[in-house]
Amino acid sequence: GNSVTQMEGPVTLSEEAFLTINCTYTATGYPSLFWYVQYPGEGLQLLLKATKADDKGSNKGFEATYRKETTSFHLEKGSVQVSDSAVYFCALSGFQAGTALIFGKGTTLSVSS
Amino acid sequence: KAGVTQTPRYLIKTRGQQVTLSCSPISGHRSVSWYQQTPGQGLQFLFEYFSETQRNKGNFPGRFSGRQFSNSRSEMNVSTLELGDSALYLCASSPGTLGGNEQFFGPGTRLTVL
């Protein structure tokens, strides 16, 4: 079936460190891929997305490239800040009609100064 | 534009009762989806409505139901509550129904079943 697997957390980094959060997916057809972020005490919000193979989504210094050959959509940021501390969710849609999302379990990122 | 609103924000019920949660989408959005978030299972898709019709449904028992009104507002209902239904219920709206469309999430309703 369709699924998303992302690395278990928590991930603990120092400010200005490089971040990678791995995400792989299993899906029929050609899904769209997303990264959503949930800051403490806030709701889910879209961080970036890619709708076809080789697309790169980017926002707020975060990037992820839709790799069909490796079925991956890893999230990266060159220099994290304390304000990036949050839970990050990888998700896919398009496995069925409509906008329904399948989410990964989420990865908690904690950045210290 | 106002964001997605959900009411109530917090709810405490006892086993066997039923509950109705409400969601108002962003103005102009016609697609509304519901998700359940728990520490153990993470975020799981419940169902999606578009133009008052259920388009998709996740793997939840029939105790979970929903509907959408002509103004796109949506409600979900859980009957015969179980302890395991304690969760954060999130509503999301989208301008369209294509898989690539972004979903905009509300703050959620925290349901506690005692």
Side-chain angles (χ1 to χ4, degrees), chain A residues 32 34 36 38 43-46 49 51 89 93-101 103-105, chain B residues 31 33 35 37 40-41 43 45 48 55-56 90 94 96-103 105-106:
Chain A
S32 294
F34 304 82
Y36 279 83
Q38 192 170 36
L44 274 170
Q45 55 186 276
L46 179 68
K49 72 174 186 180
T51 57
F89 295 90
S93 72
F95 57 97
Q96 56 185 7
T99 59
L101 291 163
F103 285 92
K105 293 288 191 184
Chain B
S31 171
S33 297
Y35 296 84
Q37 186 176 22
Q41 298 300 315
L43 280 153
F45 169 71
E48 177 183 10
R55 287 186 61 99
N56 296 302
L90 295 169
S94 181
T97 59
L98 296 178
N101 287 149
E102 174 182 356
Q103 292 200 3
F105 284 81

Side-chain angles (χ1 to χ4, degrees), chain A residues 33-98:
Chain A
L33 301 173
F34 304 82
W35 278 100
Y36 279 83
V37 59
Q38 192 170 36
Y39 296 103
E42 298 184 21
L44 274 170
Q45 55 186 276
L46 179 68
L47 182 60
L48 53 84
K49 72 174 186 180
T51 57
K52 61 183 187 297
D54 300 324
D55 267 2
K56 178 187 283 189
S58 61
N59 186 26
K60 299 181 181 180
F62 290 89
E63 293 183 338
T65 301
Y66 188 161
R67 301 283 189 203
K68 193 170 189 310
E69 63 275 13
T70 54
T71 62
S72 65
F73 193 54
H74 305 320
L75 182 68
E76 296 183 335
K77 186 175 186 183
S79 176
V80 295
Q81 305 300 312
V82 172
S83 57
D84 293 327
S85 298
V87 182
Y88 293 82
F89 295 90
C90 185
L92 68 82
S93 72
F95 57 97
Q96 56 185 7

Side-chain angles (χ1 to χ4, degrees), chain A residues 18-36:
Chain A
F18 183 84
L19 168 71
T20 299
I21 300 178
N22 290 336
C23 171
T24 57
Y25 67 89
T26 301
T28 53
Y30 303 92
S32 294
L33 301 173
F34 304 82
W35 278 100
Y36 279 83

Side-chain angles (χ1 to χ4, degrees), chain B residues 22-105:
Chain B
S22 181
C23 171
S24 292
I26 291 171
S27 177
H29 286 192
R30 296 168 63 193
S31 171
V32 174
S33 297
W34 288 88
Y35 296 84
Q36 181 195 65
Q37 186 176 22
T38 60
Q41 298 300 315
L43 280 153
Q44 294 185 287
F45 169 71
L46 279 156
F47 26 66
E48 177 183 10
Y49 286 87
F50 180 79
S51 293
E52 302 178 65
T53 301
Q54 186 180 88
R55 287 186 61 99
N56 296 302
K57 190 176 190 309
N59 291 327
F60 279 81
R63 300 185 297 108
F64 291 82
S65 63
R67 59 178 175 168
Q68 186 181 33
F69 302 95
S70 58
N71 62 358
S72 294
R73 190 177 69 85
S74 178
E75 290 181 345
M76 68 163 282
N77 184 278
V78 188
S79 62
T80 320
L81 283 166
E82 300 177 0
L83 295 178
D85 297 333
S86 293
L88 180 67
Y89 289 88
L90 295 169
C91 169
S93 74
S94 181
T97 59
L98 296 178
N101 287 149
E102 174 182 356
Q103 292 200 3
F104 295 81
F105 284 81

